[in-house]
Amino acid sequence: MKIMTCPMNGPRNIDEFQSFGPVRDELDPERTADADWSRHLFRAENRKGVVVEWWRHVPSNYFFLAERDLVSNEIIRTFDASQRSGQS
């Protein structure tokens, strides 16, 4: 059984969580061209390394961030979104 530590609820079975993908920079709707919007919405990066992702603890509906190694699938750390401090 794989365990993930929820910042609010502590260690839980990974089945209690849902992934919402990587944290990405926000685009300015007034200045972004259609082609850039399309790329932002429909193309996902496929890279190796460490990424910061949105996750949700389903029973409590708590959203938080997790830093995960895409090669080993190791969850390096989890933290509240308020602690993001400019990461993307």
Side-chain angles (χ1 to χ4, degrees), residues 5 15 19-20 36 43 46 49 51-52 55 61 77:
T5 301
D15 292 338
S19 174
F20 282 85
D36 294 330
R43 289 192 185 167
N46 188 16
V51 66
V52 176
W55 283 78
N61 199 36
R77 69 183 181 119

Side-chain angles (χ1 to χ4, degrees), residues 7 21-27 40 51-55 62-67 77-88:
V23 173
R24 300 188 303 169
D25 294 331
E26 292 183 27
L27 298 180
H40 180 76
V51 66
V52 176
E53 302 171 310
W54 285 104
W55 283 78
Y62 174 69
F63 283 82
F64 62 95
L65 298 173
E67 195 172 62
R77 69 183 181 119
T78 58
F79 53 100
D80 188 86
S82 66
Q83 299 171 334
R84 183 168 166 223
S85 71
Q87 297 171 355
S88 57

Side-chain angles (χ1 to χ4, degrees), residues 8-26:
M8 183 171 80
N9 300 293
R12 299 284 200 234
N13 186 313
I14 194 77
D15 292 338
E16 292 186 20
F17 297 93
Q18 181 179 19
S19 174
F20 282 85
V23 173
R24 300 188 303 169
D25 294 331
E26 292 183 27

